Amino acid sequence: DAGITQSPRHKVTETGTPVTLRCHQTENHRYMYWYRQDPGHGLRLIHYSYGVKDTDKGEVSDGYSVSRSKTEDFLLTLESATSSQTSVYFCAISEPPGASKEQFFGPGTRLTVL
Amino acid sequence: GENVEQHPSTLSVQEGDSAVIKCTYSDSASNYFPWYKQELGKRPQLIIDIRSNVGEKKDQRIAVTLNKTAKHFSLHITETQPEDSAVYFCAASISQGAQKLVFGQGTRLTINP
């Protein structure tokens, strides 16, 4: 597996509390992504980063913010968690086209919002 | 934006038989189509991918076909084995820098011994 870790791996929190998930890579890949996975929806892109301090929205970005202050770290923040954000969150990394196209996924974080 | 539809949602086949999973996409600009396998409780892992300038690609028992005109692509698994049991996802993206994958809903494949 590519060198991607996510922390925490499991989290239970209450509605209205802030939550930050961390993705850490040791591959020096340029692009990083956050997806959420819900039954019946596959994986859906939340936000992605194309470099340090360079981020953009995905298809389900409402209620989420991200930051990337170092190449190796990509943080996903739920400013005020809601029950609809209960999901499994996957981080992924990739290189630019021309290199390998493969997008590698982290082990996932299971988040439960009560 | 891009929309990817995947069928069937569940598929059960006898060990040794073939399995076919189909996906359609909406954006004709999409040019990269990966397939991921996800075992229970694990991360998705790439099993095969195809680019829009290729019609078919094969890797041992796995093959993918692409019909750009009809905007659909399929995964074929031959001589299925119990370890092929998993959830399979197709995806599509326009590969320009960031690879913003749009995934299908997934197919749960069960191989019966």
Side-chain angles (χ1 to χ4, degrees):
Chain A
D1 290 330
I4 313 172
T5 57
Q6 292 183 229
S7 59
R9 295 293 312 281
H10 302 272
K11 186 171 182 65
V12 179
T13 191
E14 294 188 349
T15 297
T17 60
V19 176
T20 296
L21 309 182
R22 179 181 183 236
C23 176
H24 179 77
Q25 61 148 329
T26 58
E27 305 294 323
N28 201 35
H29 280 19
R30 176 179 177 184
Y31 300 101
M32 298 186 76
Y33 313 81
W34 277 107
Y35 293 88
R36 61 177 290 173
Q37 183 174 33
D38 305 289
H41 290 278
L43 291 95
R44 292 178 291 175
L45 182 65
I46 305 171
H47 282 280
Y48 66 97
S49 170
Y50 47 96
V52 173
K53 292 185 169 54
D54 293 323
T55 65
D56 204 351
K57 296 179 179 180
E59 58 181 302
V60 290
S61 59
D62 287 349
Y64 302 95
S65 62
V66 291
S67 65
R68 190 172 179 195
S69 58
K70 298 185 291 184
T71 298
E72 56 266 35
D73 289 325
F74 193 32
L75 303 181
L76 177 71
T77 297
L78 291 66
E79 300 290 348
S80 178
T82 68
S83 58
S84 64
Q85 294 176 311
T86 292
S87 187
V88 179
Y89 291 86
F90 285 98
C91 173
I93 62 175
S94 72
E95 282 283 68
S100 167
K101 279 185 178 288
E102 181 170 356
Q103 194 165 132
F104 298 95
F105 284 82
T109 295
R110 182 172 296 276
L111 175 67
T112 302
V113 183
L114 301 176
Chain B
E2 176 66 277
N3 182 52
V4 177
E5 296 287 335
Q6 182 172 347
H7 299 280
S9 57
T10 60
L11 181 60
S12 182
V13 301
Q14 290 297 121
E15 182 178 353
D17 289 349
S18 296
V20 180
I21 302 170
K22 298 181 179 181
C23 290
T24 61
Y25 62 99
S26 61
D27 191 341
S28 57
S30 290
N31 59 5
Y32 176 62
F33 307 92
W35 285 88
Y36 283 83
K37 175 183 179 182
Q38 187 178 30
E39 297 176 348
L40 188 62
K42 300 292 182 63
R43 72 188 79 192
Q45 292 195 300
L46 181 74
I47 55 171
I48 196 168
D49 57 8
I50 192 168
R51 305 179 189 187
S52 59
N53 59 348
V54 176
E56 183 173 359
K57 184 177 178 180
K58 189 173 182 180
D59 182 4
Q60 299 183 331
R61 297 185 297 108
I62 295 173
V64 58
T65 58
L66 172 65
N67 184 326
K68 287 191 295 182
T69 302
K71 289 190 281 189
H72 66 70
F73 56 112
S74 301
L75 177 71
H76 304 253
I77 306 174
T78 59
E79 301 172 8
T80 53
Q81 301 168 2
E83 54 264 38
D84 294 330
S85 293
V87 179
Y88 292 81
F89 292 97
C90 63
S93 76
I94 301 170
S95 191
Q96 294 174 345
Q99 194 186 80
K100 295 177 284 183
L101 295 175
V102 178
F103 283 84
Q105 298 88 340
T107 296
R108 182 174 300 280
L109 175 62
T110 303
I111 308 302
N112 301 307

